[in-house]
Amino acid sequence: MQIIVKNIAKDYGKRLNAVHAIKDISLEVKKGEFLGIMGPSGAGKSTLLNMISTNERPDHGQVIIDDIDMTQLHDRELARYRRNKMGFIYQSFELLDSLNVKENIILPLALNHANKKLIESRVKHLNYLLNIEKLSKRNVDDLSLGQRQLVSAARALINNPEILFADEPTGSLDSKSATILLNYMQVINQRENATILMATHDAFTASYCSRVVFIKDGTIFSEIVNSGEREDFFEQIINMQRTIGGGSYFNVSENN
Amino acid sequence: MYLKIIRRSLAKMHDSYLIYILSCSFAIGIFSILISLTNNKIMKHDVSMWRTSLMPIVFSLSLVFAVSAFIYMAYVGGFFIKQQRHEFLTFQKLGMSKITITIIGFLQTLVIQFLAWVLGIIEALIFQKFFGMLLLYLMHVRINFTAYLRVNSLITLLQIAGYAIVAFSLINAVRTYRIVRNNKPKQRKVNFWLRIPAGTLGIVLFVSALAVNISMFASFEDYGFNGYTDRIVIQIIYILFGFFFGTYLIYFGFLPVLLTILQKIKRLSYSGLNMFSFKYLKGRLKRNTSVLWFVTELSAMALMLLTVCYFGYQLIYDNYHSEYPFALTANSDTVDDVRDTIKNSKTKVKKEYHSKIKTTLVSTLDPSGHIYVQRPASFMSYSEYMRLPDKIRASNPYINPKQFMRIGFGNDETFGFSDHKVEWNVKGAKKITTRKNGSSFPYGGGMFAGSLMIVPDKYYKNLPTKVTDTFYGWYFKHGDKLSKEQVKQLDKHRYAYIVNVEAKSSLEDSTLTIKKYNQARMGENDYIQSGFVRQESAKRHLNQIVGFFIFMITIFSIALLIALGSVLTLRILLRDDHEWRQLRTLKKIGVSNREIRSIVLSENALTFVIPIVFAIMQAYALILLADNGARPLRNEFIMIVVSYVILYGIIGIITYLISWRSVKRRIN
Ligand SMILES: Nc1ncnc2c1ncn2[C@@H]1O[C@H](COP(=O)(O)OP(=O)(O)OP(=O)(O)O)[C@@H](O)[C@H]1O
Ligand SMILES: [Mg+2]
């Protein structure tokens, strides 16, 4: 097991109006797995990802990655671990608006003091792949949401992360860009054996995963494993979404 | 509702509010203390300078202080409004009217200002006793400082407080209104290509000003200082101009361009956080250009003022030592009484000495250099002079038996004009021309009606005059031990006699007569011969004035330092929402706290180090000017710079700690 999550819990806010974002979640993820996390809005998907990706510390419980207890690491080791092994696509993109697109993309490599040649070749490769060469010199502020999402995906992928955390990576993308990105994620998942944890609302996006866990109100509700048949898996996901309820597009359309 | 909003914003930005309140209350406290000193009985009557009262100085200082404090508080007050820009705009979007938001800005400032004044006045009440005692201690005045804020000064203070609170609140209301009126921040986007020539010009101005300054200094060293000729005045104006605007242009153009270049060098910028930090620092620098400039120029001014003040204090001290190289002196009329008084006291005499002098009329050019004036002057022979204790002669130049030396008043000698040419037409004797000038009077300046000339023995013997006298001087172990009563008795002999000059058109026709001292019938041509001079009383005055200056200099420099420091501190703490977001984003993509701290650190260093370095450079260059060779100001300057840098550094470190603390709180 590469990632072991043991009984984590997280509250936000002060005692009286506290929000129990995550109540008690345990989870294991194998190396090379492509895990989907689904659930209605506010279920705690982002919070769960943030905690596994060591972005936030849980109030209780442990997160063990590669046999290291992440909750015990010091800030410096944690930062090193994060930027060597992990990539992040955030729901709100988290781009630096003082830097231009290219600088945003290469930042993780620059932080690792990678050499210039490697940086240039990696950025060229990703630009080509995600079709964002033209944006290179643009200001982040001027981009459309979809473009920003692609940029933040490029930044997450530039240092070939062992573990990729993706929070709604296709939320703002048109179907073509979404498919390109998902295909690429699948490629690194299969070829380079990268572990991927992805939160999403979208059943189509989730159908790329090898396993999907559903969470509701901060706890794991159920779990579906991809048997290999894409269509079946997609159906199963939609059924599960219907069971859970919550504002999925498919839910609404099916009820009508 | 308003109260809730105000309370929330107070809680949210307590760090910066705290700094504001503390620094304002500090200014108010010092101001109150100055006011209370102006009204203090002791300061009014018991303490005086040699001639004038210290009151006008205290008064004008408190006026200067008040004006600067007002500007400072008005300026700094704007930070809070700026910091809340975003919130105000959100309020507006939520449908609050502009007037309502303006009132919120007004009330907020009212609360803060009120707190600051209350705190300041309390501070003043607590510390004025302490400051008063400190002042009197420094002035070596042994009276108990009866400290109380008199009712009328308290009322003045409260009135000022009332007006100030309203004024500052109004200013901030206007600021708030301007934010909500045009809700787009004025994005003055300065073209990068404008910064390059501006920066170049800045460097050229600054460096050339420095060069002119140094060459000027060098020419003073080679040829001496010959007054303020037109050329020198123009050079000085150029230097001031060059420094003043050069510094601004460097901040405006050169430093951003430098950072841009660094950022373009991929080998540097593609490594670690540099890519981000260069841009971040550049952004901060661009927005703080005027503040940095302002702080630099004020610091330079402060450094120069402090050095000059300190130098002035040293000058007074030195003058004192050359004017009083003895403990007690007398002339032939008073010597018996003085000697008896000494015998009757517990004073231990270390040495007694005496010399004969002659007094006659001389005519010399007055300081303007155009009119001849006739005055009495004293003469002493070379051999009498050489018999004096070494200590007295030590600070005068060396002369041989054939030379003349003038010992005179005035500070010109101390400023290094020691080979200033002196020409005396002496009644009934040869004209004297000499370039030897001393400043140490053998029996103290007070014993001589005019200047003293040391002359060759033969010249002295042949000098025709009826007026002769013998002066006596004493050294004591541990000062004199005269009682108050004895001093009072001695005071009867303060004035021995009067030398009356009756000037005619020709010096040879003019006459000099001795008259009994009579205060009521003192004429313009009467010169008093003192009966005795006592060092102790002068020492008291000296201590007072020196103490007073030290007090004022200290208060002023500390106040200035705190003011400038807090401006920088607030500037650093003031971060836009988008700057906060960036720091948080860095954290999210795997930047460690340590690296973020290093950004905060370099931001601090940039903000604090650059102004102080430029200020020291400017101040040093101008100090070189004031220092035209004779008495190096360099040591004083170094001492003051070092203490300034240390204090500044402390403020910088504190700012860094606060800044990092608030960043850490928000990124984790
Ligand atoms: N920083 C925070 N402070 C307070 N409450 C928070 C914070 N972050 C999340 N929450 C709360 O925790 C709960 C879970 O939030 P989370 O963002 O994990 O949901 P989500 O499943 O990602 O929803 P979405 O599908 O909208 O992204 C929500 O009720 C949210 O309001
Ligand atoms: Mg989310």
Side-chain angles (χ1 to χ4, degrees):
Chain A
M1 287 298 154
Q2 188 174 25
I3 302 175
I4 302 170
V5 176
K6 278 189 191 159
N7 302 92
I8 56 168
K10 177 87 183 174
D11 291 351
Y12 285 114
K14 299 257 162 63
R15 247 177 300 156
L16 277 180
N17 45 1
V19 179
H20 305 293
I22 297 285
K23 282 167 192 156
D24 177 28
I25 287 185
S26 297
L27 191 67
E28 295 192 348
V29 185
K30 280 202 282 289
K31 186 160 172 54
E33 206 171 347
F34 192 158
L35 180 77
I37 300 171
M38 295 193 76
S41 290
K45 302 184 292 293
S46 300
T47 311
L48 180 61
L49 273 187
N50 273 337
M51 241 144 9
I52 301 175
S53 65
T54 68
N55 211 348
E56 283 177 48
R57 285 178 200 268
D59 296 341
H60 296 287
Q62 284 177 310
V63 175
I64 297 166
I65 299 177
D66 291 334
D67 298 326
I68 303 170
D69 186 350
M70 288 293 152
T71 47
Q72 302 299 320
L73 280 191
H74 283 297
D75 173 66
R76 237 175 99 200
E77 296 149 340
L78 208 56
R80 196 179 321 135
Y81 199 87
R82 283 160 63 79
R83 65 188 188 210
N84 285 335
K85 301 219 164 163
M86 299 177 180
F88 311 89
I89 305 174
Y90 286 99
Q91 196 168 10
S92 49
F93 316 136
E94 303 289 345
L95 298 174
L96 294 163
D97 39 18
S98 64
L99 302 183
N100 67 23
V101 168
K102 184 181 173 191
E103 289 164 339
N104 260 293
I105 295 176
I106 64 178
L107 194 58
L109 283 182
L111 283 176
N112 279 343
H113 300 275
N115 74 14
K116 222 182 92 191
K117 262 205 200 112
L118 176 72
I119 293 180
E120 297 288 357
S121 74
R122 283 294 299 166
V123 83
K124 209 167 158 200
H125 174 66
L126 279 167
N127 276 348
Y128 170 73
L129 208 94
L130 298 173
N131 196 17
I132 47 174
E133 293 111 325
K134 282 198 240 49
L135 302 181
S136 225
K137 292 268 182 246
R138 293 271 293 276
N139 227 331
V140 175
D141 274 340
D142 312 335
L143 300 182
S144 77
L145 286 186
Q147 289 171 325
R148 285 184 209 197
Q149 190 140 47
L150 286 177
V151 173
S152 87
R155 181 183 65 189
L157 297 170
I158 194 154
N159 57 348
N160 279 330
E162 275 179 38
I163 309 172
L164 176 68
F165 296 92
D167 196 347
E168 295 284 356
T170 57
S172 313
L173 298 182
D174 63 276
S175 61
K176 188 178 159 221
S177 310
T179 313
I180 294 173
L181 178 60
L182 288 168
N183 281 334
Y184 184 67
M185 282 165 68
Q186 204 167 36
V187 167
I188 62 167
N189 174 242
Q190 283 163 5
R191 273 210 216 127
E192 292 162 36
N193 208 20
T195 312
I196 301 180
L197 281 80
M198 175 172 75
T200 180
H201 283 139
D202 180 23
F204 171 73
T205 305
S207 68
Y208 277 80
C209 301
S210 51
R211 177 164 67 116
V212 175
V213 296
F214 289 85
I215 58 175
K216 191 184 176 182
D217 298 334
T219 49
I220 292 187
F221 184 80
S222 69
E223 172 178 318
I224 315 175
V225 180
N226 190 347
S227 53
E229 205 51 48
R230 185 85 168 269
E231 309 276 296
D232 289 352
F233 191 50
F234 183 69
E235 278 301 318
Q236 281 178 310
I237 293 169
I238 286 182
N239 284 333
M240 183 54 76
Q241 275 187 312
R242 204 177 290 155
T243 327
I244 290 181
S248 162
Y249 167 75
F250 294 97
N251 243 344
V252 177
S253 63
E254 296 265 330
N255 285 345
N256 285 346
Chain B
M1 165 76 167
Y2 291 168
L3 278 178
K4 202 171 171 192
I5 292 173
I6 293 170
R7 218 182 54 214
R8 255 221 342 263
S9 71
L10 282 182
K12 210 177 108 195
M13 300 187 298
H14 61 268
D15 268 354
S16 18
Y17 276 131
L18 205 66
I19 292 167
Y20 179 61
I21 291 183
L22 284 183
S23 52
C24 281
S25 69
F26 176 79
I28 294 164
I30 298 250
F31 177 65
S32 318
I33 286 167
L34 285 177
I35 282 198
S36 75
L37 285 182
T38 335
N39 276 335
N40 197 285
K41 191 169 102 292
I42 296 174
M43 288 299 291
K44 255 187 185 147
H45 305 298
D46 297 354
V47 175
S48 66
M49 255 182 355
W50 270 293
R51 272 169 208 92
T52 54
S53 155
L54 289 175
M55 243 43 267
I57 300 183
V58 179
F59 187 74
S60 45
L61 279 184
S62 30
L63 213 64
V64 171
F65 193 85
V67 172
S68 343
F70 184 84
I71 296 173
Y72 164 74
M73 281 160 79
Y75 179 76
V76 168
F79 281 106
F80 308 102
I81 300 299
K82 266 191 211 154
Q83 211 161 23
Q84 291 180 82
R85 229 191 93 85
H86 193 71
E87 284 188 5
F88 287 154
L89 290 179
T90 315
F91 292 163
Q92 197 185 14
K93 275 184 206 144
L94 295 179
M96 229 186 246
S97 76
K98 286 174 190 169
I99 298 298
T100 319
I101 298 172
T102 310
I103 291 174
I104 291 177
F106 179 84
L107 289 179
Q108 244 178 39
T109 319
L110 206 69
V111 173
I112 303 286
Q113 272 292 319
F114 182 75
L115 287 179
W117 278 92
V118 169
L119 215 71
I121 292 175
I122 293 174
E123 240 168 60
L125 287 175
I126 296 171
F127 286 112
Q128 71 153 336
K129 170 107 183 163
F130 169 75
F131 272 101
M133 297 292 283
L134 180 72
L135 175 59
L136 292 187
Y137 172 77
L138 285 173
M139 291 172 82
H140 293 248
V141 180
R142 265 185 226 104
I143 336 171
N144 231 332
F145 188 81
T146 47
Y148 60 102
L149 209 55
R150 287 168 38 151
V151 180
N152 57 353
S153 17
L154 197 64
I155 289 174
T156 335
L157 205 59
L158 289 178
Q159 272 173 347
I160 295 174
Y163 287 128
I165 291 175
V166 173
F168 291 132
S169 307
L170 280 177
I171 292 175
N172 274 1
V174 171
R175 283 178 174 139
T176 315
Y177 183 71
R178 276 175 46 187
I179 286 181
V180 285
R181 195 190 48 193
N182 43 343
N183 41 29
K184 268 248 156 65
K186 256 192 257 130
Q187 279 273 328
R188 267 188 295 120
K189 201 129 171 92
V190 180
N191 194 337
F192 181 73
W193 298 109
L194 180 65
R195 290 187 193 267
I196 294 178
T200 319
L201 181 65
I203 293 278
V204 168
L205 272 178
F206 195 90
V207 171
S208 64
L210 206 65
V212 170
N213 199 314
I214 288 170
S215 75
M216 239 170 119
F217 177 58
S219 81
F220 286 162
E221 279 205 326
D222 292 349
Y223 308 110
F225 180 78
N226 301 313
Y228 289 93
T229 61
D230 286 352
R231 216 183 82 125
I232 289 179
V233 169
I234 289 175
Q235 281 177 333
I236 290 178
I237 290 175
Y238 179 76
I239 291 170
L240 290 175
F241 175 86
F243 280 149
F244 196 67
F245 293 103
T247 310
Y248 182 79
L249 290 177
I250 288 177
Y251 288 176
F252 170 81
F254 180 72
L255 293 179
V257 170
L258 189 71
L259 281 172
T260 310
I261 292 172
L262 284 180
Q263 176 197 319
K264 290 261 146 77
I265 302 172
K266 296 203 166 142
R267 209 142 51 90
L268 274 178
S269 71
Y270 279 15
S271 138
L273 253 187
N274 287 350
M275 195 160 60
F276 173 76
S277 47
F278 288 159
K279 275 204 169 171
Y280 178 80
L281 292 178
K282 196 169 73 181
R284 299 284 285 173
L285 188 69
K286 277 184 192 165
R287 280 199 294 128
N288 293 340
T289 304
S290 355
V291 175
L292 289 182
W293 182 53
F294 174 74
V295 171
T296 309
E297 296 306 314
L298 273 184
S299 306
M301 203 181 76
L303 282 176
M304 287 186 289
L305 273 182
L306 280 179
T307 314
V308 169
C309 276
Y310 187 77
F311 176 70
Y313 146 75
Q314 290 251 308
L315 204 66
I316 290 176
Y317 210 77
D318 285 356
N319 264 1
Y320 161 79
H321 275 293
S322 57
E323 265 202 63
Y324 295 93
F326 56 84
L328 198 61
T329 58
N331 80 336
S332 49
D333 301 338
T334 56
V335 59
D336 295 335
D337 288 319
V338 172
R339 200 175 276 140
D340 283 348
T341 314
I342 295 173
K343 259 187 208 138
N344 292 336
S345 70
K346 288 190 188 122
T347 313
K348 283 206 190 85
V349 176
K350 209 160 139 195
K351 190 171 178 94
E352 183 182 333
Y353 59 97
H354 63 273
S355 355
K356 283 204 194 74
I357 60 139
K358 283 182 174 177
T359 304
T360 187
L361 262 180
V362 298
S363 95
T364 55
L365 273 178
D366 79 339
S368 73
H370 299 299
I371 312 159
Y372 275 94
V373 288
Q374 296 180 12
R375 300 196 47 158
S378 309
F379 291 80
M380 185 187 283
S381 69
Y382 175 78
S383 39
E384 289 278 284
Y385 177 70
M386 293 312 282
R387 280 213 334 253
L388 290 167
D390 290 343
K391 198 173 143 192
I392 288 171
R393 277 179 284 121
S395 52
N396 288 334
Y398 166 82
I399 47 168
N400 65 30
K402 295 236 150 49
Q403 279 176 319
F404 293 87
M405 175 171 70
R406 170 184 171 263
I407 295 171
F409 288 110
N411 297 332
D412 42 353
E413 284 83 7
T414 354
F415 275 121
F417 292 42
S418 56
D419 60 350
H420 179 62
K421 193 168 157 193
V422 177
E423 291 194 3
W424 279 14
N425 298 304
V426 187
K427 189 182 172 185
K430 268 208 314 243
K431 176 175 172 176
I432 299 173
T433 305
T434 178
R435 279 190 177 276
K436 292 269 177 185
N437 286 284
S439 60
S440 175
F441 282 96
Y443 295 87
M447 287 299 284
F448 298 89
S451 305
L452 169 70
M453 187 69 81
I454 312 296
V455 296
D457 290 354
K458 208 169 132 208
Y459 189 96
Y460 184 82
K461 227 175 93 199
N462 295 335
L463 190 68
T465 180
K466 290 200 289 292
V467 186
T468 59
D469 205 337
T470 308
F471 288 168
Y472 297 83
W474 289 270
Y475 284 131
F476 304 129
K477 268 190 192 128
H478 314 301
D480 69 28
K481 299 269 190 306
L482 302 192
S483 68
K484 267 196 184 143
E485 198 51 43
Q486 287 174 313
V487 173
K488 222 173 179 179
Q489 284 293 322
L490 264 186
D491 255 350
K492 283 189 201 138
H493 306 297
R494 167 139 301 193
Y495 309 110
Y497 51 82
I498 281 175
V499 182
N500 176 266
V501 178
E502 209 161 298
K504 299 278 158 53
S505 59
S506 150
L507 179 67
E508 298 302 324
D509 297 339
S510 306
T511 53
L512 190 122
T513 43
I514 290 204
K515 294 199 300 193
K516 247 186 94 110
Y517 173 75
N518 182 342
Q519 195 181 7
R521 285 188 17 232
M522 278 284 288
E524 211 182 303
N525 295 321
D526 290 339
Y527 295 85
I528 296 172
Q529 172 63 56
S530 303
F532 77 98
V533 174
R534 183 173 168 242
Q535 188 191 29
E536 280 294 303
S537 48
K539 209 192 229 161
R540 234 186 67 210
H541 282 292
L542 179 85
N543 285 336
Q544 287 180 7
I545 186 170
V546 165
F548 179 76
F549 273 116
I550 292 180
F551 180 75
M552 285 300 162
I553 291 174
T554 324
I555 280 201
F556 259 74
S557 42
I558 291 177
L560 192 76
L561 195 89
I562 289 186
L564 294 182
S566 68
V567 167
L568 291 184
T569 306
L570 288 168
R571 221 45 238 211
I572 285 189
L573 293 186
L574 183 73
R575 287 194 181 84
D576 280 355
D577 275 355
H578 105 116
E579 278 160 341
W580 284 115
R581 218 174 331 118
Q582 300 215 346
L583 293 178
R584 234 172 304 161
T585 300
L586 283 180
K587 184 74 209 271
K588 284 195 175 167
I589 60 175
V591 176
S592 66
N593 278 353
R594 233 166 90 113
E595 284 163 314
I596 294 179
R597 201 172 64 190
S598 77
I599 294 179
V600 176
L601 187 66
S602 47
E603 182 183 349
N604 254 280
L606 201 71
T607 320
F608 276 90
V609 172
I610 287 180
I612 194 73
V613 167
F614 275 86
I616 290 175
M617 261 154 73
Q618 290 180 42
Y620 184 62
L622 286 171
I623 291 297
L624 283 183
L625 267 188
D627 164 18
N628 30 45
R631 235 205 90 128
L633 275 169
R634 225 162 288 166
N635 294 340
E636 284 91 347
F637 184 73
I638 289 172
M639 210 187 79
I640 282 167
V641 162
V642 167
S643 43
Y644 202 76
V645 166
I646 290 175
L647 284 173
Y648 227 73
I650 292 174
I651 294 186
I653 290 170
I654 292 173
T655 306
Y656 161 67
L657 292 176
I658 296 176
S659 174
W660 169 234
R661 205 179 68 117
S662 66
V663 169
K664 197 164 134 190
R665 213 176 45 212
R666 284 180 85 152
I667 59 173
N668 280 333

